[in-house]
Amino acid sequence: MLENALKNAFGINCHLEQIKLKGLPLYMVSGRVFYSAVMGDASFLIVKLSDKEKFGVVAFKKQLSQYMEKTGLNVAFCFDDITRVQRDALIAKEIPFISLPDQIFLPFLGVMLSNNLKRKMIVSTDKMMPATQCLFLYLLYKSGNDFFIKKQAADDLGLTKMSITRASEQLKQMDLIREERVGKEIRMVPNYRGRELFEVAKDYLINPVQKVVHTEITKEEGLFIAGETMLSRHSMLAAPSEDVYAVVKGSDIVSSFEEIDTRWQDDITTSRVELWKYDPGLFANNGEVDPVSLAMSLSDNADERIEGELQSFLEEYKW
């Protein structure tokens, strides 16, 4: 692809050969791929950077000199994608670069630049955002699908175009999915399935519970069985003294709650209601929250009995 792109850009035959470089610091060779390039009378070295590397023009400028001194060739860095700010910084420092399909700055050979640059979206990969977890659960529980159309997923989950874009980008950066464009469709393809997908993603998942309130309420429309109450239905765990329900924060139901302080009113039968960061109804089944969200809602519980029964419940769940 790189060979053909350079040939088409300058109308000159291009020959690339992958090579290895020795005698350089580890950070200048680790994770990078090197190509010897010949185009007409010009010979140069292409340094293909890993997409996990941090961008720094000052470091690239220093490395450029070291590569040129080592090989005696002109050198160009190759990026999967760059932003307008990054492109302009490279040009200002006179650092040759290639970023396909239409950002090529090779002063020793030729220049082809386009204003068709997308702003690169940067999202945290420490923990999932609530919208990302919604999208993840959507992909997880529909594991029979080979791919998912982004627009359809957004419609099904009630997410805006921006929210679905940020959510899918976060899953991509966590290496949980990849995206493929087919015509006008953008397809999301999970890199794992079922239990394996859950296990790989487990450290990224968040506790969906934002707040807990105690109120004198019985089960009603819009509330879903959750927490220890749900777990007790699927294990040997005894039912808790308070029924536990979940509802999305901001629900109209929440505004009707009369919150009770159980420390002072222990003579009233109350329910524990978890206010969630996303709608538990999206993945509920038979009035109960989904297993993965249940597991994450109990993840901060230090009770070994709960931890053990939860583990058994997940092992028996048919992924």
Side-chain angles (χ1 to χ4, degrees):
M1 180 180 178
L2 179 56
E3 198 169 54
N4 289 335
L6 290 172
K7 177 182 176 181
N8 293 336
F10 299 113
I12 305 173
N13 284 333
C14 176
H15 176 71
L16 297 186
E17 181 181 351
Q18 187 171 335
I19 62 172
K20 292 185 178 181
L21 290 185
K22 296 181 180 179
L24 288 167
L26 183 61
Y27 67 87
M28 289 180 62
V29 294
S30 179
R32 298 181 175 183
V33 181
F34 303 94
Y35 297 96
S36 170
V38 178
M39 294 185 69
D41 295 331
S43 297
F44 57 101
L45 176 73
I46 297 176
V47 181
K48 179 73 171 64
L49 299 173
S50 163
D51 59 3
K52 295 185 182 334
E53 290 195 47
K54 291 184 177 179
F55 187 95
V57 289
V58 175
F60 290 151
K61 187 69 175 178
K62 292 179 180 177
Q63 293 172 24
L64 184 71
S65 298
Q66 290 176 274
Y67 283 128
M68 291 175 69
E69 183 178 346
K70 182 68 177 177
T71 63
L73 297 170
N74 283 310
V75 177
F77 292 103
C78 184
F79 302 88
D80 282 338
D81 57 79
I82 56 174
T83 64
R84 185 184 303 276
V85 172
Q86 291 170 340
R87 182 194 70 178
D88 293 347
L90 290 168
I91 294 173
K93 290 289 186 180
E94 299 181 340
I95 300 172
F97 66 87
I98 300 166
S99 181
L100 298 180
D102 49 12
Q103 304 296 325
I104 302 175
F105 179 70
L106 303 174
F108 51 82
L109 181 65
V111 174
M112 183 183 78
L113 300 172
S114 166
N115 287 326
N116 185 28
L117 278 167
K118 292 183 179 179
R119 184 177 178 184
K120 188 173 183 181
M121 183 174 291
I122 301 174
V123 294
S124 169
T125 54
D126 293 332
K127 290 290 183 179
M128 291 186 189
M129 299 177 293
T132 304
Q133 189 145 313
C134 273
L135 179 57
F136 167 77
L137 295 172
Y138 180 82
L139 305 182
L140 177 69
Y141 293 128
K142 292 180 178 288
S143 59
N145 294 23
D146 292 330
F147 62 85
F148 301 83
I149 298 172
K150 186 182 285 188
K151 184 180 184 306
Q152 184 63 54
D155 291 343
D156 291 346
L157 295 171
L159 296 176
T160 64
K161 183 178 179 181
M162 177 58 74
S163 293
I164 196 74
T165 298
R166 289 179 62 83
S168 62
E169 181 64 27
Q170 195 175 38
L171 291 181
K172 277 199 303 180
Q173 292 188 22
M174 290 172 174
D175 199 31
L176 298 175
I177 67 168
R178 60 187 184 278
E179 287 188 358
E180 299 173 352
R181 182 177 287 277
V182 180
K184 294 184 178 180
E185 292 180 353
I186 300 178
R187 297 179 175 181
M188 299 175 292
V189 183
N191 292 333
Y192 309 92
R193 298 284 177 179
R195 180 65 184 258
E196 185 180 15
L197 177 58
F198 167 64
E199 291 295 340
V200 173
K202 194 160 52 177
D203 290 341
Y204 298 121
L205 296 171
I206 60 170
N207 185 334
V209 182
Q210 179 160 311
K211 182 181 178 181
V212 173
V213 298
H214 301 269
T215 185
E216 191 177 11
I217 195 172
T218 56
K219 176 73 169 66
E220 64 175 80
E221 190 76 22
L223 293 178
F224 300 91
I225 298 168
E228 294 174 47
T229 299
M230 177 178 166
L231 185 58
S232 69
R233 291 181 163 204
H234 299 272
S235 69
M236 300 297 291
L237 187 73
S241 57
E242 285 184 300
D243 288 333
V244 184
Y245 300 108
V247 65
V248 64
K249 63 177 183 178
S251 167
D252 290 341
I253 300 174
V254 178
S255 61
S256 68
F257 291 166
E258 181 181 344
E259 193 167 351
I260 294 171
D261 189 334
T262 54
R263 293 174 302 176
W264 305 104
Q265 295 174 282
D266 57 3
D267 58 332
I268 299 176
T269 301
T270 58
S271 294
R272 172 189 168 101
V273 182
E274 299 173 343
L275 308 186
W276 279 23
K277 300 167 187 173
Y278 53 84
D279 186 358
L282 287 170
F283 312 104
N285 187 31
N286 295 325
E288 298 178 336
V289 302
D290 71 278
V292 171
S293 294
L294 170 70
M296 298 316 299
S297 72
L298 293 170
S299 59
D300 297 331
N301 195 305
D303 192 321
E304 292 183 359
R305 294 175 303 115
I306 292 175
E307 185 179 348
E309 294 296 342
L310 182 59
Q311 187 64 34
S312 298
F313 170 62
L314 291 175
E315 287 175 358
E316 293 171 7
Y317 178 71
K318 292 188 183 344
W319 298 89

